[in-house]
Amino acid sequence: MTTQIANNNDYISPEPTPTPFERQWQQLWQDIEQAGGRYQYVQQQLVSQGFMVDRKPVDNMSPKERERYKKALKKEAAEEKSLKKAAWQAYKAHHMVYLGRHVYWSDDTSTDKWDVKDAANRLIENKLPLLNKHNELAEAVNLTIPQLKGLCYQREVATNLSYSHFTIAKRNGTARQIWSPIPRLKFVQRWILHNILNNLTTHGAAHGFVRGKSIVTNAAVHSNSELLIKLDVKDFFPSVSWRRVKGVFRHAGYPEQISTLLSLLCTESPRQVVQQDGKTYYVALGDRALPQGAPTSPALTNIVCLNLDRRLTGLADKIGLRYSRYADDLTFSMPAVADTKTKSKVKTSTTKKQTDTQHNKLIGQLLGSVHKILREEGFVLNDDKTRVIRKGNQHNVTGMVVNGDGVPRVSRQIKRMLRAALHNLEAGGKLRADETLNTLSGYAAWIASAEPDLGHSYLDRIERLQVKQETSA
Protein backbone atom coordinates (compact mmCIF):
# COMPACT_ATOMS: atom_id res chain seq x y z
CA MET A 1 0.00 0.00 0.00
CA THR A 2 2.88 2.35 0.76
CA THR A 3 4.27 1.86 -2.74
CA GLN A 4 0.94 2.84 -4.28
CA ILE A 5 0.90 6.03 -2.28
CA ALA A 6 4.44 6.90 -3.26
CA ASN A 7 3.70 6.34 -6.96
CA ASN A 8 0.60 8.53 -7.02
CA ASN A 9 1.32 12.24 -7.29
CA ASP A 10 -1.84 13.06 -5.36
CA TYR A 11 -0.45 11.30 -2.32
CA ILE A 12 3.23 12.33 -2.38
CA SER A 13 4.39 13.23 1.11
CA PRO A 14 4.44 17.01 1.59
CA GLU A 15 7.76 18.64 2.36
CA PRO A 16 7.71 20.21 5.84
CA THR A 17 9.80 23.14 4.63
CA PRO A 18 9.40 26.12 6.99
CA THR A 19 9.38 29.68 5.68
CA PRO A 20 12.15 32.10 6.78
CA PHE A 21 9.78 33.52 9.41
CA GLU A 22 8.97 30.01 10.68
CA ARG A 23 12.68 29.20 10.92
CA GLN A 24 13.15 32.39 12.92
CA TRP A 25 10.37 31.39 15.33
CA GLN A 26 11.77 27.86 15.58
CA GLN A 27 15.16 29.14 16.76
CA LEU A 28 13.52 31.60 19.14
CA TRP A 29 11.29 28.89 20.61
CA GLN A 30 14.32 26.69 21.23
CA ASP A 31 15.87 29.57 23.16
CA ILE A 32 12.64 30.05 25.13
CA GLU A 33 12.48 26.36 26.05
CA GLN A 34 16.12 26.41 27.14
CA ALA A 35 15.36 29.43 29.34
CA GLY A 36 12.49 27.53 31.00
CA GLY A 37 9.55 29.43 29.52
CA ARG A 38 8.47 32.75 28.03
CA TYR A 39 8.64 34.70 31.29
CA GLN A 40 12.09 33.38 32.13
CA TYR A 41 13.31 34.08 28.59
CA VAL A 42 12.12 37.70 28.69
CA GLN A 43 13.75 38.30 32.09
CA GLN A 44 17.04 36.76 30.94
CA GLN A 45 17.08 38.88 27.79
CA LEU A 46 16.40 42.08 29.70
CA VAL A 47 19.35 41.34 31.97
CA SER A 48 21.77 40.19 29.26
CA GLN A 49 20.99 43.18 27.02
CA GLY A 50 21.35 45.65 29.89
CA PHE A 51 17.71 46.80 29.94
CA MET A 52 16.85 45.50 33.40
CA VAL A 53 16.67 48.41 35.87
CA ASP A 54 17.31 47.96 39.58
CA ARG A 55 14.29 49.24 41.44
CA LYS A 56 15.09 52.11 43.83
CA PRO A 57 13.04 54.58 45.91
CA VAL A 58 12.68 57.89 44.08
CA ASP A 59 12.17 60.08 47.19
CA ASN A 60 15.89 60.80 47.63
CA MET A 61 16.67 61.25 43.92
CA SER A 62 17.48 64.57 42.39
CA PRO A 63 15.29 65.74 39.53
CA LYS A 64 17.93 64.70 36.96
CA GLU A 65 18.42 61.30 38.57
CA ARG A 66 14.68 60.80 38.68
CA GLU A 67 14.39 61.72 34.98
CA ARG A 68 17.17 59.29 34.02
CA TYR A 69 15.52 56.58 36.14
CA LYS A 70 12.15 57.09 34.45
CA LYS A 71 13.73 56.95 30.98
CA ALA A 72 15.50 53.69 31.88
CA LEU A 73 12.21 52.21 33.10
CA LYS A 74 10.49 53.23 29.87
CA LYS A 75 13.26 51.60 27.79
CA GLU A 76 12.95 48.47 29.88
CA ALA A 77 9.16 48.44 29.44
CA ALA A 78 9.44 48.97 25.68
CA GLU A 79 12.01 46.19 25.32
CA GLU A 80 9.98 43.89 27.55
CA LYS A 81 6.91 44.50 25.38
CA SER A 82 8.93 43.73 22.23
CA LEU A 83 10.38 40.55 23.74
CA LYS A 84 6.97 39.37 24.94
CA LYS A 85 5.50 39.95 21.48
CA ALA A 86 8.29 37.96 19.82
CA ALA A 87 7.96 35.19 22.41
CA TRP A 88 4.21 35.03 21.78
CA GLN A 89 4.81 34.79 18.01
CA ALA A 90 7.24 31.93 18.62
CA TYR A 91 4.69 30.26 20.90
CA LYS A 92 1.97 30.53 18.24
CA ALA A 93 4.33 29.04 15.64
CA HIS A 94 4.66 25.92 17.80
CA HIS A 95 1.15 25.63 19.27
CA MET A 96 -2.41 25.54 17.93
CA VAL A 97 -3.68 28.32 20.28
CA TYR A 98 -6.98 28.82 18.41
CA LEU A 99 -8.68 26.82 15.64
CA GLY A 100 -11.71 28.95 14.80
CA ARG A 101 -15.22 29.56 16.06
CA HIS A 102 -17.11 26.73 17.74
CA VAL A 103 -13.92 24.65 18.06
CA TYR A 104 -12.77 24.18 21.63
CA TRP A 105 -9.00 24.03 21.93
CA SER A 106 -6.55 24.16 24.80
CA ASP A 107 -2.79 23.73 24.62
CA ASP A 108 -3.00 22.05 28.02
CA THR A 109 -2.24 18.37 27.38
CA SER A 110 -3.03 17.10 30.87
CA THR A 111 -5.47 14.20 31.16
CA ASP A 112 -9.21 14.76 31.58
CA LYS A 113 -12.14 12.69 32.79
CA TRP A 114 -13.13 11.72 29.24
CA ASP A 115 -9.84 9.93 28.51
CA VAL A 116 -10.41 6.20 28.14
CA LYS A 117 -8.93 3.91 30.77
CA ASP A 118 -5.52 2.47 29.83
CA ALA A 119 -5.52 4.56 26.64
CA ALA A 120 -1.92 3.70 25.72
CA ASN A 121 -2.61 -0.03 26.02
CA ARG A 122 -5.71 0.32 23.85
CA LEU A 123 -3.70 2.08 21.16
CA ILE A 124 -1.01 -0.60 21.28
CA GLU A 125 -3.55 -3.45 21.13
CA ASN A 126 -5.15 -1.91 18.03
CA LYS A 127 -1.73 -1.23 16.47
CA LEU A 128 -2.38 2.51 16.38
CA PRO A 129 0.38 5.14 16.43
CA LEU A 130 1.03 6.62 19.89
CA LEU A 131 0.29 10.34 19.62
CA ASN A 132 -0.09 12.56 22.67
CA LYS A 133 0.83 16.06 21.46
CA HIS A 134 0.13 18.12 18.38
CA ASN A 135 3.81 18.30 17.40
CA GLU A 136 3.96 14.48 17.36
CA LEU A 137 1.04 14.39 14.93
CA ALA A 138 2.64 17.10 12.76
CA GLU A 139 5.88 15.11 12.62
CA ALA A 140 4.02 11.87 11.81
CA VAL A 141 2.28 13.42 8.79
CA ASN A 142 5.36 15.40 7.71
CA LEU A 143 3.96 18.89 8.33
CA THR A 144 5.13 21.97 10.16
CA ILE A 145 2.92 23.20 13.00
CA PRO A 146 1.61 26.17 10.92
CA GLN A 147 0.84 23.81 8.02
CA LEU A 148 -1.07 21.46 10.35
CA LYS A 149 -2.95 24.39 11.85
CA GLY A 150 -3.83 25.68 8.38
CA LEU A 151 -5.44 22.35 7.44
CA CYS A 152 -7.44 22.21 10.70
CA TYR A 153 -8.54 25.84 11.05
CA GLN A 154 -12.29 26.44 10.80
CA ARG A 155 -13.10 29.48 8.65
CA GLU A 156 -16.68 30.70 8.40
CA VAL A 157 -15.89 32.59 5.19
CA ALA A 158 -12.82 31.58 3.21
CA THR A 159 -11.18 32.68 -0.02
CA ASN A 160 -9.01 29.55 -0.14
CA LEU A 161 -9.90 26.04 0.95
CA SER A 162 -8.06 22.75 1.38
CA TYR A 163 -10.64 21.23 -0.99
CA SER A 164 -11.43 21.66 -4.68
CA HIS A 165 -15.12 21.68 -5.49
CA PHE A 166 -17.01 20.08 -8.37
CA THR A 167 -20.31 18.30 -8.99
CA ILE A 168 -21.28 15.04 -10.65
CA ALA A 169 -24.76 14.15 -11.88
CA LYS A 170 -26.81 11.65 -9.90
CA ARG A 171 -29.04 9.14 -11.66
CA ASN A 172 -32.06 11.30 -10.82
CA GLY A 173 -30.48 14.28 -12.60
CA THR A 174 -29.61 16.32 -9.49
CA ALA A 175 -26.03 17.34 -8.73
CA ARG A 176 -23.88 15.58 -6.13
CA GLN A 177 -21.47 17.96 -4.40
CA ILE A 178 -17.89 16.63 -4.35
CA TRP A 179 -15.17 18.24 -2.25
CA SER A 180 -11.81 16.72 -3.16
CA PRO A 181 -8.90 17.44 -0.77
CA ILE A 182 -5.78 19.15 -2.07
CA PRO A 183 -2.70 16.86 -2.35
CA ARG A 184 -1.24 17.86 1.04
CA LEU A 185 -4.49 17.17 2.89
CA LYS A 186 -5.15 14.03 0.83
CA PHE A 187 -1.76 12.65 1.93
CA VAL A 188 -2.64 13.34 5.58
CA GLN A 189 -6.06 11.72 5.21
CA ARG A 190 -4.50 8.67 3.54
CA TRP A 191 -2.08 8.43 6.48
CA ILE A 192 -5.00 8.55 8.95
CA LEU A 193 -6.87 5.93 6.90
CA HIS A 194 -4.01 3.42 6.67
CA ASN A 195 -2.51 3.92 10.12
CA ILE A 196 -5.62 4.43 12.26
CA LEU A 197 -9.02 3.87 10.67
CA ASN A 198 -8.24 0.57 8.94
CA ASN A 199 -7.29 -0.88 12.35
CA LEU A 200 -10.57 0.04 14.07
CA THR A 201 -13.58 -2.28 14.42
CA THR A 202 -16.42 -2.37 11.89
CA HIS A 203 -19.46 -4.65 11.81
CA GLY A 204 -19.59 -7.74 9.62
CA ALA A 205 -22.70 -6.39 7.87
CA ALA A 206 -20.66 -3.50 6.40
CA HIS A 207 -19.34 -4.28 2.91
CA GLY A 208 -18.55 -0.86 1.40
CA PHE A 209 -14.87 0.20 1.48
CA VAL A 210 -13.91 -2.69 3.76
CA ARG A 211 -10.79 -4.73 3.02
CA GLY A 212 -11.70 -8.12 1.59
CA LYS A 213 -15.27 -7.07 0.78
CA SER A 214 -16.95 -5.57 -2.26
CA ILE A 215 -20.24 -5.08 -4.08
CA VAL A 216 -20.08 -8.82 -4.81
CA THR A 217 -19.85 -9.90 -1.16
CA ASN A 218 -22.64 -7.46 -0.33
CA ALA A 219 -24.87 -8.89 -3.06
CA ALA A 220 -24.03 -12.49 -2.12
CA VAL A 221 -25.76 -12.03 1.25
CA HIS A 222 -29.10 -11.76 -0.59
CA SER A 223 -28.86 -14.55 -3.15
CA ASN A 224 -32.03 -16.58 -3.79
CA SER A 225 -34.45 -14.22 -2.04
CA GLU A 226 -38.21 -14.41 -1.91
CA LEU A 227 -38.45 -10.75 -0.92
CA LEU A 228 -35.93 -7.91 -1.29
CA ILE A 229 -36.20 -4.55 0.51
CA LYS A 230 -33.70 -1.83 -0.50
CA LEU A 231 -33.39 1.32 1.61
CA ASP A 232 -31.23 4.42 1.42
CA VAL A 233 -29.90 6.75 4.13
CA LYS A 234 -30.47 10.42 3.34
CA ASP A 235 -27.41 12.72 3.31
CA PHE A 236 -25.24 9.93 4.68
CA PHE A 237 -21.81 11.61 4.88
CA PRO A 238 -23.10 15.08 5.87
CA SER A 239 -25.01 13.45 8.76
CA VAL A 240 -21.71 12.55 10.47
CA SER A 241 -20.52 15.71 12.24
CA TRP A 242 -16.95 16.38 13.25
CA ARG A 243 -17.90 15.86 16.90
CA ARG A 244 -19.06 12.32 16.11
CA VAL A 245 -15.78 11.78 14.28
CA LYS A 246 -13.92 13.13 17.29
CA GLY A 247 -15.74 10.54 19.39
CA VAL A 248 -14.32 7.79 17.16
CA PHE A 249 -10.76 8.88 17.91
CA ARG A 250 -11.50 9.44 21.61
CA HIS A 251 -12.92 5.92 21.87
CA ALA A 252 -9.84 4.58 20.07
CA GLY A 253 -7.71 5.92 22.94
CA TYR A 254 -6.49 9.31 21.72
CA PRO A 255 -6.49 12.35 24.06
CA GLU A 256 -8.65 15.43 23.59
CA GLN A 257 -6.17 17.49 21.56
CA ILE A 258 -5.16 14.74 19.12
CA SER A 259 -8.80 13.65 18.65
CA THR A 260 -9.79 17.24 17.87
CA LEU A 261 -7.05 17.64 15.27
CA LEU A 262 -7.75 14.27 13.62
CA SER A 263 -11.48 15.01 13.40
CA LEU A 264 -10.86 18.45 11.88
CA LEU A 265 -8.49 16.93 9.32
CA CYS A 266 -11.24 14.52 8.21
CA THR A 267 -14.14 17.00 8.02
CA GLU A 268 -15.19 20.25 6.38
CA SER A 269 -18.21 22.54 6.54
CA PRO A 270 -20.78 22.34 3.74
CA ARG A 271 -20.21 25.52 1.79
CA GLN A 272 -21.84 27.78 -0.74
CA VAL A 273 -19.67 29.27 -3.45
CA VAL A 274 -20.30 33.04 -3.70
CA GLN A 275 -18.90 35.42 -6.32
CA GLN A 276 -18.58 39.05 -5.29
CA ASP A 277 -16.51 41.88 -6.81
CA GLY A 278 -14.53 39.41 -8.89
CA LYS A 279 -13.61 37.28 -5.87
CA THR A 280 -14.72 33.79 -4.92
CA TYR A 281 -15.84 33.18 -1.35
CA TYR A 282 -16.68 29.86 0.27
CA VAL A 283 -19.31 30.47 2.94
CA ALA A 284 -19.89 27.84 5.62
CA LEU A 285 -23.53 26.73 5.78
CA GLY A 286 -23.28 24.57 8.89
CA ASP A 287 -21.15 22.46 11.16
CA ARG A 288 -18.19 20.49 9.86
CA ALA A 289 -19.05 16.98 8.63
CA LEU A 290 -17.65 14.22 6.44
CA PRO A 291 -17.14 15.50 2.88
CA GLN A 292 -17.87 13.50 -0.26
CA GLY A 293 -14.43 13.00 -1.81
CA ALA A 294 -12.22 12.58 1.27
CA PRO A 295 -10.56 9.11 1.41
CA THR A 296 -11.31 8.91 5.15
CA SER A 297 -15.07 9.45 4.88
CA PRO A 298 -16.19 5.89 3.93
CA ALA A 299 -14.09 4.23 6.65
CA LEU A 300 -15.32 6.69 9.28
CA THR A 301 -18.97 6.04 8.40
CA ASN A 302 -18.37 2.30 8.80
CA ILE A 303 -16.89 2.87 12.27
CA VAL A 304 -19.62 5.33 13.27
CA CYS A 305 -22.27 2.86 12.07
CA LEU A 306 -20.99 -0.03 14.19
CA ASN A 307 -23.90 0.24 16.63
CA LEU A 308 -26.38 0.94 13.81
CA ASP A 309 -25.28 -2.24 12.03
CA ARG A 310 -25.55 -4.23 15.26
CA ARG A 311 -29.10 -3.04 15.84
CA LEU A 312 -30.25 -3.58 12.24
CA THR A 313 -28.67 -7.04 12.19
CA GLY A 314 -30.51 -7.86 15.40
CA LEU A 315 -33.76 -6.55 13.92
CA ALA A 316 -33.29 -8.62 10.77
CA ASP A 317 -32.57 -11.79 12.76
CA LYS A 318 -35.62 -11.20 14.90
CA ILE A 319 -38.04 -11.06 11.97
CA GLY A 320 -36.31 -13.68 9.80
CA LEU A 321 -34.49 -11.45 7.31
CA ARG A 322 -30.91 -11.01 6.13
CA TYR A 323 -29.19 -7.60 6.33
CA SER A 324 -26.17 -5.92 4.79
CA ARG A 325 -25.02 -2.33 4.26
CA TYR A 326 -22.90 -0.89 1.46
CA ALA A 327 -22.20 2.75 2.42
CA ASP A 328 -25.66 4.37 2.55
CA ASP A 329 -27.49 1.42 0.90
CA LEU A 330 -29.32 -0.81 3.38
CA THR A 331 -30.53 -4.16 2.03
CA PHE A 332 -32.86 -6.66 3.72
CA SER A 333 -34.02 -9.93 2.18
CA MET A 334 -36.09 -12.99 3.00
CA PRO A 335 -34.52 -16.29 1.93
CA ALA A 336 -36.58 -18.19 -0.64
CA VAL A 337 -35.71 -21.44 1.11
CA ALA A 338 -35.99 -20.70 4.82
CA ASP A 339 -33.86 -22.57 7.32
CA THR A 340 -35.30 -24.05 10.53
CA LYS A 341 -34.69 -20.85 12.48
CA THR A 342 -36.40 -18.71 9.88
CA LYS A 343 -39.35 -21.06 9.50
CA SER A 344 -40.21 -20.57 13.15
CA LYS A 345 -40.47 -16.82 12.60
CA VAL A 346 -42.03 -16.47 9.17
CA LYS A 347 -44.82 -18.97 8.38
CA THR A 348 -45.10 -20.01 4.76
CA SER A 349 -48.48 -19.90 3.00
CA THR A 350 -50.03 -21.86 0.19
CA THR A 351 -51.78 -18.90 -1.38
CA LYS A 352 -50.22 -15.82 -2.94
CA LYS A 353 -52.74 -13.53 -1.26
CA GLN A 354 -51.90 -14.81 2.18
CA THR A 355 -48.19 -14.61 1.36
CA ASP A 356 -48.52 -10.99 0.17
CA THR A 357 -50.44 -10.11 3.33
CA GLN A 358 -47.70 -11.61 5.49
CA HIS A 359 -45.01 -9.85 3.47
CA ASN A 360 -46.79 -6.48 3.69
CA LYS A 361 -47.10 -6.85 7.45
CA LEU A 362 -43.40 -7.73 7.67
CA ILE A 363 -42.42 -4.78 5.47
CA GLY A 364 -44.45 -2.37 7.61
CA GLN A 365 -42.85 -3.72 10.77
CA LEU A 366 -39.39 -3.46 9.23
CA LEU A 367 -39.77 0.11 7.94
CA GLY A 368 -41.19 1.38 11.22
CA SER A 369 -38.33 -0.16 13.19
CA VAL A 370 -35.65 1.02 10.74
CA HIS A 371 -37.00 4.60 10.88
CA LYS A 372 -36.78 4.51 14.68
CA ILE A 373 -33.30 2.97 14.84
CA LEU A 374 -31.88 5.35 12.22
CA ARG A 375 -33.32 8.36 14.02
CA GLU A 376 -31.81 7.23 17.32
CA GLU A 377 -28.44 6.71 15.62
CA GLY A 378 -28.45 10.19 14.05
CA PHE A 379 -29.59 9.31 10.52
CA VAL A 380 -32.72 9.69 8.39
CA LEU A 381 -34.22 7.26 5.90
CA ASN A 382 -34.68 8.52 2.35
CA ASP A 383 -38.25 7.32 1.73
CA ASP A 384 -38.10 8.27 -1.96
CA LYS A 385 -35.52 5.52 -2.55
CA THR A 386 -37.29 2.70 -0.71
CA ARG A 387 -37.75 -0.28 -3.05
CA VAL A 388 -39.61 -3.54 -2.40
CA ILE A 389 -38.94 -6.28 -5.00
CA ARG A 390 -40.98 -9.44 -4.80
CA LYS A 391 -40.41 -12.93 -6.14
CA GLY A 392 -40.60 -13.20 -9.92
CA ASN A 393 -38.80 -9.89 -10.58
CA GLN A 394 -35.10 -9.30 -11.12
CA HIS A 395 -33.36 -8.90 -7.77
CA ASN A 396 -30.51 -6.41 -8.13
CA VAL A 397 -28.20 -5.57 -5.18
CA THR A 398 -25.34 -3.06 -5.63
CA GLY A 399 -25.43 -3.63 -9.38
CA MET A 400 -25.44 -7.44 -9.18
CA VAL A 401 -28.25 -9.82 -10.05
CA VAL A 402 -28.89 -12.26 -7.17
CA ASN A 403 -31.85 -14.31 -8.39
CA GLY A 404 -31.42 -18.04 -7.78
CA ASP A 405 -28.67 -19.95 -5.99
CA GLY A 406 -25.83 -18.87 -8.28
CA VAL A 407 -23.16 -16.33 -7.48
CA PRO A 408 -23.99 -12.62 -7.95
CA ARG A 409 -23.54 -11.57 -11.54
CA VAL A 410 -23.82 -8.61 -13.85
CA SER A 411 -27.11 -8.45 -15.73
CA ARG A 412 -27.44 -10.08 -19.15
CA GLN A 413 -28.23 -6.71 -20.72
CA ILE A 414 -24.80 -5.33 -19.74
CA LYS A 415 -23.03 -8.47 -21.00
CA ARG A 416 -24.89 -8.34 -24.30
CA MET A 417 -24.08 -4.66 -24.75
CA LEU A 418 -20.36 -5.24 -24.06
CA ARG A 419 -20.18 -8.32 -26.28
CA ALA A 420 -21.87 -6.48 -29.15
CA ALA A 421 -19.61 -3.42 -28.79
CA LEU A 422 -16.44 -5.53 -28.83
CA HIS A 423 -17.64 -7.62 -31.79
CA ASN A 424 -18.42 -4.43 -33.69
CA LEU A 425 -14.96 -2.99 -33.02
CA GLU A 426 -13.18 -6.21 -33.94
CA ALA A 427 -15.12 -6.25 -37.22
CA GLY A 428 -13.84 -2.76 -38.04
CA GLY A 429 -16.81 -0.79 -36.77
CA LYS A 430 -16.89 2.23 -34.45
CA LEU A 431 -18.07 2.88 -30.93
CA ARG A 432 -21.23 4.81 -30.14
CA ALA A 433 -20.82 8.49 -29.26
CA ASP A 434 -21.31 7.75 -25.55
CA GLU A 435 -18.78 4.86 -25.49
CA THR A 436 -14.98 4.69 -25.16
CA LEU A 437 -12.57 1.81 -24.66
CA ASN A 438 -12.15 3.01 -21.09
CA THR A 439 -15.88 2.73 -20.38
CA LEU A 440 -15.93 -0.74 -21.94
CA SER A 441 -12.94 -1.67 -19.79
CA GLY A 442 -14.90 -0.53 -16.74
CA TYR A 443 -17.80 -2.79 -17.66
CA ALA A 444 -15.40 -5.70 -18.18
CA ALA A 445 -13.75 -5.11 -14.78
CA TRP A 446 -17.22 -5.00 -13.23
CA ILE A 447 -18.04 -8.39 -14.77
CA ALA A 448 -14.63 -9.76 -13.67
CA SER A 449 -15.38 -8.89 -10.03
CA ALA A 450 -18.12 -11.54 -10.04
CA GLU A 451 -17.18 -13.80 -12.98
CA PRO A 452 -13.37 -13.61 -13.30
CA ASP A 453 -12.92 -15.86 -16.35
CA LEU A 454 -15.54 -14.08 -18.45
CA GLY A 455 -14.50 -10.62 -17.31
CA HIS A 456 -10.80 -11.17 -17.98
CA SER A 457 -11.54 -12.56 -21.42
CA TYR A 458 -13.28 -9.25 -22.21
CA LEU A 459 -10.38 -7.28 -20.72
CA ASP A 460 -7.90 -9.18 -22.91
CA ARG A 461 -9.94 -8.36 -26.02
CA ILE A 462 -10.11 -4.67 -25.02
CA GLU A 463 -6.34 -4.59 -24.45
CA ARG A 464 -5.72 -6.01 -27.94
CA LEU A 465 -8.04 -3.37 -29.39
CA GLN A 466 -6.17 -0.61 -27.53
CA VAL A 467 -2.82 -1.86 -28.88
CA LYS A 468 -4.26 -1.99 -32.37
CA GLN A 469 -5.65 1.53 -32.00
CA GLU A 470 -2.31 2.92 -30.78
CA THR A 471 -0.40 1.17 -33.59
CA SER A 472 -2.68 2.52 -36.30
CA ALA A 473 -2.39 6.04 -34.84
Side-chain angles (χ1 to χ4, degrees):
M1 192 63 69
T2 304
T3 304
Q4 292 176 356
I5 294 173
N7 291 337
N8 190 322
N9 289 333
D10 280 346
Y11 308 142
I12 290 177
S13 172
E15 290 293 332
T17 50
T19 65
F21 281 111
E22 289 172 357
R23 282 194 291 269
Q24 173 189 341
W25 301 133
Q26 285 177 356
Q27 182 58 54
L28 178 54
W29 185 249
Q30 290 177 8
D31 296 339
I32 291 172
E33 287 187 318
Q34 288 177 358
R38 284 183 288 160
Y39 174 79
Q40 292 83 351
Y41 169 78
V42 170
Q43 298 306 306
Q44 288 179 16
Q45 290 298 308
L46 289 174
V47 172
S48 65
Q49 295 178 26
F51 285 98
M52 182 67 77
V53 178
D54 292 333
R55 267 46 178 182
K56 300 175 183 179
V58 297
D59 295 342
N60 298 325
M61 291 182 183
S62 66
K64 287 186 177 181
E65 289 174 334
R66 189 179 295 134
E67 187 64 28
R68 284 196 298 270
Y69 182 67
K70 287 181 178 180
K71 286 182 179 179
L73 288 175
K74 286 182 179 180
K75 284 185 179 180
E76 178 194 296
E79 183 63 19
E80 182 179 18
K81 183 178 180 180
S82 176
L83 289 168
K84 284 182 176 179
K85 182 178 179 180
W88 174 242
Q89 293 293 338
Y91 180 89
K92 289 199 298 182
H94 287 78
H95 297 79
M96 296 292 109
V97 184
Y98 179 68
L99 291 173
R101 288 183 62 196
H102 309 304
V103 178
Y104 169 76
W105 178 264
S106 171
D107 288 323
D108 179 11
T109 57
S110 58
T111 59
D112 62 43
K113 65 178 182 178
W114 304 112
D115 290 333
V116 299
K117 188 177 180 181
D118 298 325
N121 289 337
R122 182 177 291 196
L123 293 173
I124 292 170
E125 287 172 2
N126 289 321
K127 300 179 181 179
L128 304 180
L130 297 173
L131 302 170
N132 291 305
K133 296 183 179 180
H134 65 278
N135 57 312
E136 295 172 353
L137 174 59
E139 184 178 352
V141 295
N142 213 25
L143 297 177
T144 65
I145 301 297
Q147 286 171 342
L148 176 61
K149 183 176 181 178
L151 293 179
C152 295
Y153 198 90
Q154 169 61 17
R155 295 170 178 84
E156 300 301 308
V157 179
T159 53
N160 288 295
L161 285 181
S162 298
Y163 290 83
S164 58
H165 173 252
F166 60 94
T167 61
I168 58 175
K170 298 182 185 179
R171 282 183 294 181
N172 61 9
T174 61
R176 185 187 300 278
Q177 304 293 325
I178 304 295
W179 295 89
S180 178
I182 61 173
R184 175 183 290 172
L185 178 57
K186 186 175 286 188
F187 171 82
V188 175
Q189 291 176 342
R190 285 282 179 185
W191 185 92
I192 294 171
L193 175 65
H194 294 302
N195 291 280
I196 299 178
L197 301 180
N198 282 347
N199 293 324
L200 298 180
T201 302
T202 58
H203 195 274
H207 290 260
F209 312 97
V210 177
R211 285 178 294 187
K213 295 187 177 183
S214 65
I215 57 173
V216 179
T217 62
N218 182 63
V221 174
H222 306 284
S223 292
N224 196 25
S225 298
E226 185 172 336
L227 181 68
L228 187 68
I229 304 110
K230 298 164 65 175
L231 310 176
D232 180 86
V233 180
K234 187 176 182 179
D235 298 329
F236 189 49
F237 285 179
S239 296
V240 182
S241 70
W242 77 273
R243 290 177 178 82
R244 293 184 74 178
V245 174
K246 179 180 174 180
V248 168
F249 295 113
R250 286 294 263 160
H251 188 262
Y254 286 109
E256 168 74 19
Q257 289 78 7
I258 295 298
S259 298
T260 297
L261 294 175
L262 290 172
S263 63
L264 292 173
L265 287 167
C266 296
T267 57
E268 178 55 80
S269 290
R271 293 184 181 269
Q272 181 177 354
V273 183
V274 177
Q275 301 286 343
Q276 185 173 352
D277 299 329
K279 275 192 172 185
T280 302
Y281 297 91
Y282 303 94
V283 182
L285 301 178
D287 209 0
R288 293 174 78 101
L290 295 180
Q292 292 268 9
T296 44
S297 293
L300 278 165
T301 54
N302 285 337
I303 298 164
V304 168
C305 288
L306 176 61
N307 196 54
L308 171 67
D309 289 332
R310 283 174 179 162
R311 296 181 69 182
L312 292 180
T313 299
L315 170 66
D317 288 343
K318 183 179 179 180
I319 59 179
L321 300 178
R322 301 173 294 193
Y323 163 72
S324 71
R325 181 179 59 81
Y326 193 96
D328 56 352
D329 292 328
L330 314 178
T331 308
F332 295 85
S333 64
M334 176 189 293
V337 180
D339 57 24
T340 304
K341 181 180 177 183
T342 306
K343 283 179 180 178
S344 64
K345 296 170 182 175
V346 182
K347 296 180 180 179
T348 57
S349 176
T350 56
T351 66
K352 185 178 184 303
K353 185 176 181 180
Q354 288 175 321
T355 300
D356 288 345
T357 301
Q358 288 180 338
H359 286 179
N360 290 339
K361 183 178 179 181
L362 181 71
I363 293 165
Q365 180 183 354
L366 173 70
L367 293 179
S369 298
V370 170
H371 268 287
K372 180 177 182 293
I373 291 172
L374 282 175
R375 185 172 61 252
E376 291 172 352
E377 295 294 330
F379 296 101
V380 175
L381 195 63
N382 187 349
D383 292 321
D384 292 338
K385 291 190 175 182
T386 297
R387 298 290 182 270
V388 176
I389 308 169
R390 302 179 188 272
K391 192 173 182 179
N393 298 298
Q394 186 180 87
H395 288 182
N396 190 298
V397 178
T398 47
M400 295 288 173
V401 178
V402 294
N403 293 79
D405 292 321
V407 296
R409 56 221 177 264
V410 176
S411 68
R412 291 176 183 173
Q413 294 91 330
I414 296 295
K415 293 176 185 175
R416 289 195 193 109
M417 179 276 296
L418 180 58
R419 187 166 58 247
L422 292 179
H423 179 75
N424 183 46
L425 283 173
E426 289 165 343
K430 293 183 179 181
L431 290 170
R432 297 200 313 253
D434 59 342
E435 290 179 338
T436 66
L437 283 178
N438 284 337
T439 57
L440 297 184
S441 181
Y443 283 122
W446 183 16
I447 294 169
S449 66
E451 300 172 77
D453 292 342
L454 178 61
H456 284 108
S457 69
Y458 286 141
L459 287 169
D460 290 340
R461 291 169 66 182
I462 292 169
E463 186 176 354
R464 288 194 292 270
L465 286 168
Q466 286 174 328
V467 171
K468 182 180 178 181
Q469 194 177 74
E470 291 168 3
T471 303
S472 61

